[in-house]
Amino acid sequence: MFKIFIDPGHGGSDPGAVANGLKEKDLTLTIALKIKHMLDNQFTGHIATLSRYRDDTLTLKERTDMANGWRADYLMSIHINAGGGTGFESFTYHKQYPNKSKTNSVRKVIHAEIVNETGFRNRGKREANFHMLRESAMSAVVT
């Protein structure tokens, strides 16, 4: 059974980006719950869980510890940035690691589907040294 760990970014005392009466923590949770619902009801061969199911405060370390402890096969951390530009971008870890080509292959599909379904401007597939990517033991993407 393929295990997918979905992390709705921010939460609790950390609202993330705030603009126009919206909080990133609320939007990421809504998106994560919808993804889990779709995975649970439209696809087979996997199990999905979230780092949080409500407005909880979790550190980045708690999030990656949860994913690693659960022995997830894939981690997706969902974010909505407010600074500079419009569109969609996704990130994988910037250094070399054993499953990098597999990670980027799965990310390529996820990235293309999100851009296609939303019509958002494609800001590109990028690499970064984010905690969620660096400290996870499995393939991981930050959107």
Side-chain angles (χ1 to χ4, degrees):
M1 183 87 39
F2 192 80
K3 296 169 82 173
I4 304 166
F5 189 88
I6 305 166
D7 173 51
H10 306 283
S13 62
D14 176 8
V18 177
N20 302 316
L22 301 172
K23 296 177 185 169
E24 181 177 4
K25 68 177 183 173
D26 299 332
L27 297 172
T28 60
L29 181 57
T30 298
I31 292 167
L33 289 167
K34 285 185 180 191
I35 291 171
K36 182 173 179 356
H37 179 78
M38 287 174 57
L39 288 170
D40 290 348
N41 293 291
Q42 297 177 18
F43 301 95
T44 60
H46 70 277
I47 184 170
T49 193
L50 276 61
S51 60
R52 63 184 183 92
Y53 286 84
R54 57 181 190 262
D55 191 20
D56 293 327
T57 301
L58 297 169
T59 67
L60 293 173
K61 183 177 183 326
E62 288 172 320
R63 294 164 195 262
T64 51
D65 284 354
M66 288 169 67
N68 292 337
W70 190 56
R71 297 184 179 264
D73 295 301
Y74 201 83
L75 180 153
M76 175 187 287
S77 186
I78 302 167
H79 291 269
I80 302 167
N81 294 333
T86 58
F88 177 77
E89 60 192 348
S90 61
F91 296 84
T92 56
Y93 189 50
H94 75 292
K95 291 189 177 177
Q96 291 301 317
Y97 51 95
N99 289 326
K100 187 167 186 163
S101 63
K102 178 183 172 187
T103 300
N104 284 333
S105 176
V106 174
R107 184 266 298 263
K108 181 180 177 182
V109 172
I110 292 169
H111 186 99
E113 285 299 315
I114 291 172
V115 169
N116 184 53
E117 287 296 317
T118 62
F120 292 158
R121 185 172 73 86
N122 186 349
R123 291 176 52 98
K125 295 179 286 295
R126 302 170 188 241
E127 295 186 350
N129 187 22
F130 298 148
H131 177 95
M132 296 301 291
L133 303 173
R134 181 183 64 246
E135 300 302 323
S136 58
M138 71 290 308
S139 295
V141 63
V142 171
T143 67

